[in-house]
Amino acid sequence: MGMATIDEVETDVVEIEAKLDKLVKLCSGMIEAGKVYITTNKHFVSGVRDLAQQCKKDEMISECLDKFGDSLQEMINYHMILFDQAQRSVRQQLHNFVKDDVRKFKESKKQFDRVREDMEISLVKNAQAPRHKPHEVEEATGTLSITRKCFRHLALDYVLQINVLQAKKKFEILDAMLSFMHAQFTFFQQGHNLLLQLEPYMKKLATELDQLVIDSAVEKREMEHKHALIQQR
């Protein structure tokens, strides 16, 4: 891996860190908004249950409100699980990757930069050593040799760290997003199954409501007819 490639990777790491930090913050915002949504949803379900209590004498209304209230409460539970998994998969996993792996790599970069700088200074000193002073030439050559060995050793270690980080970055991002999408899949599947169980009752209720509209219209006509007769008398 050449110096140009190392520089490119270092730039990429800095940019990736910024993007991951931003994604973690956005995920936190989404989770916080989700918690507010859950709270307001709970208040709504409480309102549905209060209305069911009020309409206890009317079996059709109280049954409908109880059934729908239970289903809505179950949906809130699914939402809570979804946001909890978003917290663990995206927010926590990516935050830990940035905090532990990316920041640790940045510390190694500082050390690598210091040794690279030392070597560049040694190269300059070696080139500038007066050739008519063998003692100074020998000292500069010796320093350069030690610095070069140290740099090569550290460079190998640094390149290994780069490769490990690149592989881990790939795994962590893909794994976090896959976990999040699995959570979404489960959320929608559970919601679908719940509403599927409720569907026969909803269809029955819709038919009963159609009949209710017809019965109300007939009753209204009869009352109007009676009213007209009374008026004539």
Side-chain angles (χ1 to χ4, degrees):
M1 189 180 278
M3 290 311 298
T5 320
I6 287 176
D7 287 341
E8 278 171 25
V9 170
E10 286 174 346
T11 306
D12 180 57
V13 168
V14 171
E15 286 172 4
I16 278 287
E17 182 187 17
K19 297 287 183 210
L20 287 176
D21 268 336
K22 186 183 176 186
L23 191 63
V24 166
K25 283 191 184 83
L26 289 169
C27 187
S28 296
M30 178 179 71
I31 292 163
E32 288 312 307
K35 284 176 183 172
V36 173
Y37 171 72
I38 285 168
T39 303
T40 51
N41 228 331
K42 281 178 179 173
H43 293 326
F44 176 73
V45 172
S46 292
V48 171
R49 294 204 195 284
D50 285 348
L51 187 59
Q53 224 23 57
Q54 186 64 37
C55 299
K56 229 169 176 44
K57 288 175 187 169
D58 191 318
E59 200 185 322
M60 192 177 176
I61 298 177
S62 61
E63 183 192 19
C64 166
L65 295 176
D66 283 337
K67 273 185 182 292
F68 289 169
D70 290 345
S71 297
L72 290 168
Q73 179 55 55
E74 201 57 36
M75 291 297 267
I76 291 171
N77 297 341
Y78 298 156
H79 264 116
M80 285 164 78
I81 293 166
L82 176 67
F83 292 126
D84 181 55
Q85 287 175 320
Q87 159 85 18
R88 277 184 287 118
S89 64
V90 179
R91 188 176 173 274
Q92 208 53 55
Q93 189 172 348
L94 294 183
H95 172 71
N96 288 347
F97 173 63
V98 171
K99 190 172 65 119
D100 299 337
D101 298 279
V102 176
R103 305 247 157 100
K104 197 162 72 181
F105 171 78
K106 284 171 85 178
E107 283 304 310
S108 299
K109 179 189 176 325
K110 282 180 193 169
Q111 197 184 352
F112 178 72
D113 286 344
R114 275 196 298 270
V115 175
R116 181 156 65 169
E117 207 176 304
D118 288 347
M119 196 184 76
E120 283 165 2
I121 291 165
S122 297
L123 279 166
V124 171
K125 279 185 179 173
N126 187 58
Q128 288 175 348
R131 297 298 151 200
H132 59 279
K133 292 183 181 174
H135 174 68
E136 284 187 30
V137 172
E138 192 182 328
E139 193 181 311
T141 309
T143 305
L144 178 62
S145 175
I146 291 164
T147 313
R148 193 174 265 157
K149 271 182 190 170
C150 183
F151 175 76
R152 279 181 184 157
H153 173 73
L154 200 68
L156 281 173
D157 188 46
Y158 188 59
V159 168
L160 175 67
Q161 278 192 46
I162 284 172
N163 290 332
V164 168
L165 186 78
Q166 294 287 71
K168 196 147 194 241
K169 174 191 81 175
K170 188 174 186 175
F171 172 79
E172 294 290 349
I173 292 171
L174 295 177
D175 186 57
M177 285 309 296
L178 182 62
S179 298
F180 181 64
M181 293 313 284
H182 271 308
Q184 291 278 4
F185 178 84
T186 304
F187 169 75
F188 282 103
Q189 193 175 48
Q190 286 175 325
H192 175 71
N193 291 340
L194 181 75
L195 290 168
L196 215 55
Q197 287 168 21
L198 200 63
E199 193 182 24
Y201 172 73
M202 287 165 72
K203 281 182 175 171
K204 177 173 140 318
L205 184 62
T207 307
E208 286 172 1
L209 284 178
D210 287 343
Q211 192 57 49
L212 203 64
V213 170
I214 294 163
D215 292 347
S216 293
V218 170
E219 199 176 327
K220 185 172 175 254
R221 269 202 305 274
E222 283 175 0
M223 282 172 71
E224 282 171 352
H225 181 61
K226 278 178 188 172
H227 183 70
L229 286 174
I230 290 163
Q231 291 282 64
Q232 281 170 12
R233 283 177 194 161

